[in-house]
Amino acid sequence: MKEHAPATAPPESLTADEVYLAFADGPVPVALAVDDAVARVNRPFAEALGRSPEACEGRPLFELVPPEPGEAPRLPEPGARASYRARLDGVRARVDLAA
């Protein structure tokens, strides 16, 4: 029977650079908003909208990813989460928000 190497403990903290790289290079579309304006997006988010990251930044989130009719999303309070439905190029999508 082959022995496995002992598991290593996860780091106690991540550096700011490591957190930024996980955001910027991650495969999941992510936008960071301040109030209702988009402050930063990663490339997958911009590509999902057919825009450059710079074209997304500074615009209202609900303008970039408008909710479906009948949806009335609000940005969640700190520590809370919310979701809403949108359509991207005719494809229904769930937009998750966290604060």
Side-chain angles (χ1 to χ4, degrees):
M1 177 183 268
K2 184 178 177 184
E3 288 191 36
H4 295 281
T8 59
E12 289 189 24
S13 64
L14 298 173
T15 67
D17 287 340
E18 290 169 325
V19 172
Y20 178 78
L21 287 174
F23 159 76
D25 295 339
V28 177
V30 177
L32 302 175
V34 176
D35 296 322
D36 71 340
V38 173
R40 295 278 185 275
V41 302
N42 64 3
R43 186 147 309 278
F45 183 92
E47 288 174 354
L49 300 178
R51 300 172 183 258
S52 70
E54 297 78 19
C56 297
E57 294 168 0
R59 306 211 33 196
L61 176 64
F62 298 133
E63 178 185 306
L64 288 172
V65 188
E68 284 195 317
E71 294 272 339
R74 298 180 73 99
L75 294 175
E77 295 296 320
R81 297 182 187 136
S83 295
Y84 72 94
R85 297 278 179 200
R87 285 197 182 269
L88 300 175
D89 288 333
V91 176
R92 211 164 172 219
R94 186 180 85 188
V95 179
D96 295 319
L97 306 169

